[in-house]
Amino acid sequence: EAQVTQNPRYLITVTGKKLTVTCSQNMNHEYMSWYRQDPGLGLRQIYYSMNVEVTDKGDVPEGYKVSRKEKRNFPLILESPSPNQTSLYFCASKREGGANVLTFGAGSRLTVL
Amino acid sequence: EDKVVQSPLSLVVHEGDTVTLNCSYEVTNFRSLLWYKQEKKAPTFLFMLTSSGIEKKSGRLSSILDKKELFSILNITATQTGDSAVYLCAVEASTSGTYKYIFGTGTRLKVLA
């Protein structure tokens, strides 16, 4: 089944404890991106990647890192999480060109205490 | 600054009613406008619009784009309780070979039996 898989789906952690949210897609999509969703603010883009080894900042990149070493994986790294990073995170991917649309993962709900 | 504004923020209707959701945008280098439905999980794709005046239809849902006035509407006729969800509008914009998605904050629709 074609899908975007995120892990973990739920996580409670403490301030300063490094964590990684993994994202993997099996559709051979070139484009991948991370969003956070907060009440009243909608979906905001954190980072995106046009292809392997090509990443760029979105609208809210502070406090996050990403890497794109392989086409299928796009992990989101929080080096030193803080409570303001408590949010619902979505990974999404898309094939380049044409009438192709973003396909979203199921979401990862992160709580930082 | 690019922005996408959706209205109303929330809406409560009864089954059988027709609803119209609005999305206006101010985005540089517009490529497409997308509608998604989100029911407590990942957004799922509804429509992609690129040309003005061409209605996209899927069952009871339809959408149209006006690129001159910079807005789109999503219509749902004969609403059902299963239509209860948050409806997201997003605009895809491209710049120098890269592209990004700007999301509105969504319209929360509740359909009462």
Side-chain angles (χ1 to χ4, degrees):
Chain A
E1 181 189 351
Q3 59 185 359
V4 179
T5 304
Q6 297 178 225
N7 280 297
R9 294 287 316 283
Y10 302 91
L11 180 64
I12 301 174
T13 189
V14 295
T15 299
K17 186 176 181 182
K18 180 180 178 180
L19 69 93
T20 298
V21 187
T22 63
C23 174
S24 180
Q25 49 93 6
N26 61 0
M27 296 169 281
N28 202 35
H29 285 174
E30 293 82 9
Y31 181 91
M32 297 184 75
S33 61
W34 276 102
Y35 298 85
R36 60 178 289 173
Q37 187 174 36
D38 303 290
L41 296 176
L43 280 158
R44 294 179 293 166
Q45 189 172 49
I46 304 171
Y47 269 94
Y48 64 97
S49 169
M50 299 294 291
N51 214 324
V52 176
E53 302 292 1
V54 181
T55 63
D56 211 343
K57 296 178 181 178
D59 296 317
V60 288
E62 296 79 19
Y64 305 95
K65 284 174 60 177
V66 293
S67 68
R68 187 89 182 273
K69 293 186 172 62
E70 308 163 280
K71 199 171 188 179
R72 64 184 295 127
N73 295 322
F74 190 44
L76 179 70
I77 303 155
L78 286 73
E79 293 272 1
S80 182
S82 62
N84 65 13
Q85 292 179 298
T86 292
S87 188
L88 178 59
Y89 291 86
F90 288 102
C91 180
S93 71
K94 171 176 136 48
R95 187 180 300 282
E96 267 289 291
N100 297 301
V101 299
L102 278 178
T103 301
F104 285 86
S108 297
R109 185 166 292 282
L110 171 65
T111 301
V112 183
L113 302 175
Chain B
E1 183 186 337
D2 294 333
K3 62 179 179 180
V4 175
V5 178
Q6 292 186 245
S7 64
L9 290 180
S10 65
L11 195 52
V12 180
V13 300
H14 289 92
E15 271 194 318
D17 288 349
T18 293
V19 298
T20 298
L21 309 183
N22 303 294
C23 175
S24 64
Y25 62 91
E26 292 178 30
V27 174
T28 308
N29 300 317
F30 173 95
R31 266 179 69 151
S32 65
L33 186 144
L34 303 100
W35 285 97
Y36 285 85
K37 178 182 181 182
Q38 187 177 21
E39 301 170 87
K40 294 185 180 177
K41 49 187 180 181
T44 54
F45 171 72
L46 294 174
F47 297 110
M48 179 179 179
L49 303 145
T50 55
S51 301
S52 268
I54 298 176
E55 186 182 48
K56 293 280 184 91
K57 228 174 141 53
S58 176
R60 296 175 295 102
L61 278 67
S62 64
S63 183
I64 197 160
L65 172 67
D66 186 327
K67 289 172 76 172
K68 184 179 174 188
E69 299 297 331
L70 308 182
F71 78 91
S72 173
I73 59 172
L74 175 68
N75 276 323
I76 309 175
T77 60
T79 51
Q80 302 171 356
T81 54
D83 296 326
S84 295
V86 175
Y87 290 84
L88 299 170
C89 173
V91 172
E92 181 187 7
S94 67
T95 307
S96 304
T98 68
Y99 46 88
K100 65 175 184 177
Y101 294 83
I102 305 102
F103 282 82
T105 54
T107 293
R108 183 175 298 276
L109 173 65
K110 187 169 178 62
V111 182
L112 303 175

